[in-house]
Amino acid sequence: MINGLNWYKFASPATFYTLAGRMIPWFYSLAALLCVAGLYIAFFLAPTDFQQSEAYRIIFIHVPAAWMSMFIYIVMAAWAAIGLAFNTRLSFMMASALAPTGAMLTFVSLWTGALWGKPTWGAWWVWDARLTSELILFFLYLGFMALQAAIDDPRRADRAGALIALVGVVNVPIIYFSVRWWNTLHQGASISMTKAPSMAAIMLEGMLVMALAVWMYAIAAALSRVRSIILERERNSQWVAQMMEAEA
Amino acid sequence: MNMLQTVSVVLRRELILAMRRRGDVLTVLFFFVIVASLFPLGVGPDPKLLSLMGGGVVWVSALLAAMLSLGRMFASDYADGTLEQLILTPTPPVIWITGKILAHWLVSGVPLILMAPILGVQFGLTSDALLVLVISLLLGTPVLSLIGAIGAALTLGLRGGGVLVSLLVLPLYIPVLIFGAGAVDGSMSGLGAEAHLSLLGGILVLAFISTPWAVSAALRISIE
């Protein structure tokens, strides 16, 4: 089966360019649908929290963004590792396509956290372990993008970025476990695999739907960005010239 | 040559080079002192406040000073082609890289450690806290050289490399800062510094065995 479905075929930027083009509308529409459904649950179905009243509703954006900010970094580092190990150009392109979306979601999670912190904690920002490590994650994304932007030779930019992405991945478990290791202001994990959820089922559903929406959006955004990167890198190749001619 | 000989040859070469250009070493040291002296001017000379901040201020200054000296680690060897020759030698790069990092620490880290107690006294740290400060710097500054070497290797020959190094390396320095300054704080507040120092030691061991490999990979990327 695996041999029949030739994976190497899609590792070529030319084939992947077309494949990504066909997948992007699906992921964008899925993201839109899930987002509408999630926001409907969030604003109309979910009850008011007895402790935090309406302010808690920010979790429907905050938690999915925070999850994805960490997850995208891990995926980015994984693509970087695959690129370094197998020397596949497309993996490096995927890594650099993911970085801006990851940075954006990290920023969203910090920003929505601040918006929630002001009414709840009485401060826009506290130097708590989780907030600080999430801020470091933002800097790691910026460092990755800045390093790639500073290097003109794409081969070197790919590899240097991949290395720094792999080195920075040590930060992700620190963020994830920060609420358990340091007993600080940020509340513990909202969801645990081992315990029964501590929130109403409908709130949990809303959050999961929103998380899926953000996930689909991240995939769509990364795919459309990787298409631009492919075009830019392969601008001198024959297939790009033929495609441009066919479109013109 | 066996491993230790290689390390000592590289070490001797680096130290001789550093002694021929003493200005570089002194600049970093003065930078360290000046940054630390800016804090009392910025936040006010209240002795209570300064003794609370002392450990953290010295640590932040050490971080910035260590970063300032990173450019020297590979840049001149890269410019005159020595680095390529070193990579072409049959010796595994990890070995001479370790020697270079060790030399960097001796030249830029050790002076900071020697200077730190004086700054600590100016900030009104107790003698126990001064001792903890020195121990935490002894454990922490090698980590700064080790992690910094990755950043230095990745930014070789890039325009604006110096600023870029700070963006790449400072986020990775943060755990060292937290536990280093935390140890001094713990000693000042009577909580004890052992936990923080143990964690710093753990970070040092981890960095020592892993970063030379990353530096070696980074150098290969930059040289190609």
Side-chain angles (χ1 to χ4, degrees):
Chain A
M1 179 65 197
I2 289 182
N3 289 335
L5 217 163
N6 192 354
W7 290 99
Y8 292 108
K9 197 178 125 195
F10 293 112
S12 130
T15 354
F16 190 75
Y17 182 85
T18 346
L19 179 71
R22 251 181 275 142
M23 292 194 301
I24 289 167
W26 289 100
F27 282 112
Y28 267 130
S29 12
L30 266 178
L33 280 176
L34 286 166
C35 185
V36 169
L39 288 179
Y40 182 73
I41 298 175
F43 284 110
F44 297 104
L45 299 185
T48 306
D49 190 70
F50 75 99
Q51 251 181 336
Q52 303 178 358
S53 67
E54 302 296 344
Y56 91 94
R57 287 186 202 272
I58 200 96
I59 63 161
F60 292 112
I61 295 171
H62 175 71
V63 175
W67 278 346
M68 285 309 289
S69 70
M70 289 185 267
F71 183 65
I72 289 180
Y73 195 92
I74 293 176
V75 175
M76 186 178 94
W79 278 121
I82 293 172
L84 284 180
F86 300 108
N87 206 9
T88 40
R89 281 178 304 156
L90 191 62
S91 333
F92 291 123
M93 295 182 196
M94 280 305 288
S96 23
L98 280 165
T101 307
M104 190 270 281
L105 287 172
T106 316
F107 185 77
V108 166
S109 106
L110 287 167
W111 188 255
T112 52
L115 287 178
W116 176 86
K118 186 64 183 164
T120 322
W121 293 343
W124 293 109
W125 179 263
V126 285
W127 289 97
D128 145 283
R130 174 156 280 186
L131 273 67
T132 312
S133 48
E134 182 79 5
L135 185 66
I136 300 172
L137 183 70
F138 186 56
F139 293 148
L140 289 176
Y141 277 120
L142 292 188
F144 174 85
M145 291 192 282
L147 181 65
Q148 289 210 318
I151 305 176
D152 293 327
D153 171 26
R155 242 179 84 80
R156 184 180 163 189
D158 280 345
R159 297 169 160 274
L163 190 79
I164 203 73
L166 282 176
V167 171
V169 88
V170 288
N171 186 50
V172 176
I174 297 182
I175 309 174
Y176 188 75
F177 291 110
S178 58
V179 280
R180 231 184 292 168
W181 290 346
W182 288 278
N183 194 9
T184 47
L185 198 50
H186 195 285
Q187 55 196 300
S190 316
I191 293 178
S192 156
M193 292 290 179
T194 46
K195 278 183 299 187
S198 55
M199 62 168 94
I202 188 75
M203 291 184 194
L204 181 66
E205 278 160 25
M207 218 158 79
L208 291 180
V209 171
M210 283 305 286
L212 272 177
V214 175
W215 198 337
M216 294 304 123
Y217 164 76
I219 294 175
L223 284 180
S224 46
R225 202 171 289 116
V226 87
R227 263 164 68 96
S228 311
I229 296 175
I230 290 175
L231 271 192
E232 198 185 339
R233 294 268 182 95
E234 308 265 302
R235 60 185 175 275
N236 295 327
S237 71
Q238 196 147 27
W239 70 268
V240 174
Q242 280 168 356
M243 190 182 67
M244 290 299 167
E245 241 167 62
E247 273 177 25
Chain B
M1 278 200 285
N2 64 29
M3 260 172 64
L4 281 179
Q5 269 176 321
T6 314
V7 171
S8 77
V9 167
V10 173
L11 197 62
R12 192 145 17 109
R13 168 176 180 268
E14 297 288 319
L15 291 182
I16 290 173
L17 284 175
M19 288 318 284
R20 299 262 161 88
R21 305 187 61 185
R22 249 162 271 169
D24 288 356
V25 181
L26 289 176
T27 319
V28 172
L29 193 59
F30 280 125
F31 180 80
F32 175 59
V33 175
I34 289 172
V35 171
S37 320
L38 287 178
F39 280 87
L41 300 173
V43 299
D46 176 21
K48 233 195 222 152
L49 181 70
L50 288 183
S51 74
L52 273 178
M53 292 185 1
V57 167
V58 173
W59 257 102
V60 169
S61 315
L63 240 63
L64 295 174
M67 213 186 57
L68 197 67
S69 61
L70 285 178
R72 274 211 314 267
M73 208 185 284
F74 302 110
S76 60
D77 283 351
Y78 175 70
D80 64 13
T82 314
L83 207 58
E84 277 182 39
Q85 299 302 321
L86 274 172
I87 285 186
L88 290 175
T89 58
T91 325
V94 174
I95 294 171
W96 53 261
I97 286 170
T98 310
K100 265 180 154 320
I101 295 174
L102 201 60
H104 178 265
W105 176 67
L106 285 175
V107 170
S108 67
V110 171
L112 302 190
I113 300 173
L114 297 176
M115 200 63 182
I118 301 173
L119 291 173
V121 168
Q122 289 184 310
F123 278 92
L125 296 186
T126 60
S127 54
D128 281 351
L130 283 179
L131 184 66
V132 169
L133 175 66
V134 171
I135 298 175
S136 70
L137 283 169
L138 262 175
L139 290 170
T141 45
V143 182
L144 303 184
S145 295
L146 287 161
I147 297 176
I150 304 176
L154 280 177
T155 52
L156 268 184
L158 298 183
R159 63 197 136 69
V163 187
L164 195 55
V165 161
S166 58
L167 192 56
L168 295 180
V169 161
L170 280 180
L172 301 171
Y173 277 179
I174 289 173
V176 182
L177 172 69
I178 290 176
F179 297 123
V184 183
D185 266 357
S187 148
M188 285 295 279
S189 63
L191 284 171
E194 286 81 6
H196 287 107
L197 291 179
S198 308
L199 280 165
L200 264 186
I203 294 178
L204 173 58
V205 172
L206 208 68
F208 185 74
I209 54 176
S210 59
T211 49
W213 299 95
V215 176
S216 152
L219 283 179
R220 283 178 194 282
I221 293 167
S222 297
I223 293 266
E224 257 174 31

